[in-house]
């Protein structure tokens, strides 16, 4: 097995076998549902909160289609999942930077390989969680159907538009995850100080949250010029591009072009982050200046 495969296998098995993985896998959905229910109740009971929400959030049209509803949910989930798994990459790299063992590992494994292995391993852990959540939801739905039979036309779920919605979601998630995951890895490698860590996390979180809110706007206004322009920018393309493709607001050629451009920027971000990771992973206690970062990028 190659060095990349061995590191991915070790990282993946270490995470999957940890107690925190299983606790988060089964606890996070419960907390999300509980949090959404409590916040929904509180906001519905507060006139001020409802007025604030109406002022900052574009209200969906009364005749929202199923594709628009799917696009809205996918836009929200993509931003949240990329943020969650990107933060895991950041913490892994930060922890490794303060671990003396990495000095030995760096003598026999290229830095780009170590960084890529972490991105892939965390992505596989994320997909494992998604599969487990899907199985959990399927078991719950099946149990409810046994108790409360319904005439829901399940065959409609195999409709071409819904299948393509799933395909677009996976493709945009992979591209967005690689792009932001590389940025998170580079940020984690550039510092081992908590105050500087918060600066990098804050910037990436702000970018993802901006993408999240613009994607919500794009559900009903996907044809707006600035939305179409932002779908070509890698920082916002993972959510906006996915929403436009799922709702079929953008023509097919434009969705494909957005996706190709996103993967191109993801490859570029991975290459640049690999140089930063390789050059800075062993440097401890130093605050890097823009000049230092440019030096890392010019390195071979």
């Amino acid at each position: 097995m190659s060095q990349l495969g061995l590191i991915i296998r070790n990282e993946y098995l270490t995470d999957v076998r940890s107690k925190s993985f299983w606790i988060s896998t089964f606890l996070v959905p419960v907390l999300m549902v509980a949090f959404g229910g409590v916040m929904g109740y509180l906001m519905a009971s507060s006139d001020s909160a409802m007025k604030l929400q109406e002022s900052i959030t574009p209200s969906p049209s009364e005749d929202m289609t199923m594709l628009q509803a799917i696009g809205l949910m996918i836009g929200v989930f993509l931003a949240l999942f990329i943020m969650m798994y990107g933060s895991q990459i950041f913490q892994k790299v930060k922890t490794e930077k303060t671990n003396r063992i990495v000095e030995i590992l760096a003598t026999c494994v290229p830095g780009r390989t170590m960084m890529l292995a972490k991105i892939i391993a965390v992505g596989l852990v994320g997909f494992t969680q998604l599969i487990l959540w899907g199985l959990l939801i399927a078991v719950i739905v099946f149990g409810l159907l046994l108790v409360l039979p319904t005439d829901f036309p399940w065959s409609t779920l195999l409709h071409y538009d819904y299948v393509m919605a799933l395909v677009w979601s996976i493709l945009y998630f992979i591209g967005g995850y690689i792009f932001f995951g590389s940025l998170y890895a580079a940020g984690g490698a550039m510092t081992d100080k908590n105050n500087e860590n918060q600066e990098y996390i804050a910037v990436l979180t702000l970018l993802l949250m901006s993408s999240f809110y613009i994607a919500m706007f794009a559900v009903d206004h996907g044809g707006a010029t600035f939305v179409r322009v932002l779908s070509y920018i890698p920082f916002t393309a993972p959510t906006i591009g996915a929403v436009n493709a799922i709702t079929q607001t953008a023509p097919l050629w434009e969705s494909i072009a957005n996706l190709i451009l996103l993967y191109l920027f993801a490859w570029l971000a991975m290459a640049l982050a690999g140089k930063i990771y390789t050059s800075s992973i062993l440097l401890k206690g130093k605050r890097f200046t823009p000049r230092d970062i440019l030096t890392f990028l010019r390195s071979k």
Side-chain angles (χ1 to χ4, degrees):
M1 186 179 292
S2 64
Q3 291 179 334
L4 179 62
L6 287 173
I7 299 176
I8 291 174
R9 181 176 180 273
N10 179 67
E11 293 276 353
Y12 175 79
L13 293 178
T14 300
D15 288 341
V16 171
R17 290 172 178 173
S18 65
K19 294 181 180 179
S20 60
F21 170 81
W22 294 101
I23 293 174
S24 62
T25 298
F26 293 103
L27 189 60
V28 167
V30 176
L31 292 177
M32 290 179 64
V33 172
F35 177 79
V38 172
M39 291 302 298
Y41 173 77
L42 293 178
M43 293 189 66
S45 303
S46 173
D47 294 336
S48 299
M50 294 300 293
K51 291 179 181 179
L52 177 63
Q53 182 185 18
E54 292 174 358
S55 64
I56 63 176
T57 305
S59 58
S61 58
E62 295 181 357
D63 55 344
M64 174 182 284
T65 64
M66 179 61 71
L67 288 179
Q68 286 179 315
I70 294 175
L72 178 61
M73 291 187 294
I74 293 301
V76 171
F77 286 135
L78 286 182
L80 292 178
F81 287 156
I82 291 174
M83 189 185 307
M84 181 171 63
Y85 298 130
S87 298
Q88 292 183 22
I89 296 174
F90 187 95
Q91 292 300 325
K92 276 180 172 291
V93 175
K94 175 192 168 186
T95 302
E96 188 175 70
K97 188 175 177 66
T98 58
N99 191 340
R100 306 295 294 185
I101 297 177
V102 71
E103 298 180 4
I104 301 175
L105 186 62
T107 60
C108 55
V109 181
R112 294 184 182 88
T113 301
M114 291 192 292
M115 186 199 73
L116 182 60
K118 282 178 174 47
I119 294 175
I120 296 176
V122 173
L124 292 176
V125 171
F127 274 114
T128 302
Q129 282 188 319
L130 292 177
I131 292 173
L132 292 175
W133 287 341
L135 293 175
L136 182 62
I137 293 173
V139 170
I140 294 174
V141 171
F142 182 73
L144 291 176
L145 289 178
L146 292 178
V147 178
L148 302 172
T150 179
D151 294 330
F152 182 81
W154 295 102
S155 59
T156 58
L157 296 178
L158 298 178
H159 191 275
Y160 173 79
D161 291 337
Y162 302 149
V163 174
M164 287 304 301
L166 178 61
V167 172
W168 286 121
S169 302
I170 294 175
L171 292 177
Y172 273 99
F173 173 79
I174 293 175
Y177 169 77
I178 295 175
F179 177 77
F180 277 99
S182 299
L183 298 183
Y184 274 106
M190 283 195 295
T191 180
D192 54 358
K193 299 180 180 179
N194 290 329
N195 59 334
E196 295 179 27
N197 288 341
Q198 298 304 318
E199 295 175 5
Y200 296 126
I201 287 288
V203 172
L204 293 173
T205 301
L206 180 61
L207 291 172
L208 281 168
M209 292 305 297
S210 300
S211 176
F212 164 77
Y213 283 112
I214 297 174
M216 293 179 64
F217 178 83
V219 172
D220 291 316
H221 305 85
T225 302
F226 88 98
V227 172
R228 301 283 285 276
V229 171
L230 290 177
S231 66
Y232 287 94
I233 299 176
F235 296 102
T236 52
T239 56
I240 298 176
V243 169
N244 283 345
I246 292 172
T247 59
Q248 301 178 2
T249 302
L252 180 61
W253 68 266
E254 184 172 328
S255 296
I256 296 176
N258 292 339
L259 194 62
I260 293 175
L261 198 60
L262 174 60
Y263 275 82
L264 178 63
F265 276 107
W267 176 84
L268 183 62
M270 190 166 55
L272 296 179
K275 290 186 176 183
I276 295 175
Y277 183 97
T278 303
S279 303
S280 62
I281 190 64
L282 298 179
L283 300 179
K284 300 177 175 63
K286 174 177 174 56
R287 183 181 180 91
F288 299 110
T289 64
R291 184 176 181 179
D292 294 328
I293 297 175
L294 290 177
T295 301
F296 296 156
L297 296 179
R298 287 197 295 266
S299 64
K300 294 183 179 180

